[in-house]
Amino acid sequence: MGKGLNPADAHRREQKRREKKKNQKQRNLSREVRTYIDDPNKCRAEINRLEAQGRTKRLATHEAARLSHLKDTLKAIERLPPKRKPAAAAAAPPPPATKKADPLAPGAAPLYTQSGFAETAAAAQNRQVVHAIPEAPEAPAP
């Protein structure tokens, strides 16, 4: 039995080949964008090169599409927040430690019981937990 006998297998192989090609394009595009995020001047230089080429002669269709894509990419990169440098992050003082509020402090917000009613912290401290002990049922009279 050869490879070409089953049309379903042939279709599946073709779909897999197309998917690989599509994923490869996406990986290349994301790799390019990461490069431009790290150094936006590369993107600007490429835009300037294509614009200069467009002034001397008419750009090919794929070059015009690339130019518009680069301009869109540069706009998106400029909207991103600036990237922190590792040295600057190491030199910055650590953030101040925050103190957690004691829920049982006198001025604290009310606590909620299981039944959903609010009670103050002082009441929660003074509350005594009483467990009800079930009484034995009375024996019936003979």
Side-chain angles (χ1 to χ4, degrees):
M1 300 205 105
K3 278 188 170 182
L5 293 180
N6 190 350
D9 285 342
H11 178 70
R12 210 172 13 257
R13 279 193 305 273
E14 181 67 22
Q15 290 296 91
K16 188 184 274 189
R17 185 184 63 79
R18 285 181 185 166
E19 189 70 23
K20 281 183 182 179
K21 189 175 180 181
K22 179 180 146 193
N23 289 341
Q24 182 66 34
K25 284 182 181 179
Q26 287 177 342
R27 279 196 305 272
N28 288 341
L29 184 63
S30 66
R31 191 176 303 128
E32 176 185 328
V33 169
R34 278 195 311 265
T35 302
Y36 291 145
I37 286 174
D38 291 341
D39 189 11
N41 290 329
K42 287 182 181 179
C43 186
R44 288 185 189 100
E46 184 75 13
I47 289 172
N48 291 338
R49 184 187 68 79
L50 286 172
E51 286 178 343
Q53 186 178 350
R55 283 192 293 268
T56 58
K57 65 175 187 171
R58 189 163 188 256
L59 289 177
T61 307
H62 70 279
E63 290 173 330
R66 176 146 175 82
L67 180 61
S68 66
H69 168 71
L70 286 171
K71 286 181 179 180
D72 293 341
T73 303
L74 186 61
K75 284 180 188 176
I77 289 171
E78 288 172 347
R79 284 193 302 252
L80 291 175
K83 197 172 171 184
R84 284 191 187 179
K85 305 268 189 232
T98 56
K99 233 183 193 181
K100 290 187 177 180
D102 182 19
L104 298 178
L111 301 173
Y112 291 92
T113 61
Q114 284 182 337
S115 61
F117 295 109
E119 62 181 17
T120 62
Q125 283 180 334
N126 295 333
R127 181 171 36 104
Q128 294 178 356
V129 179
V130 178
H131 296 288
I133 301 174
E135 296 182 19
E138 295 184 24

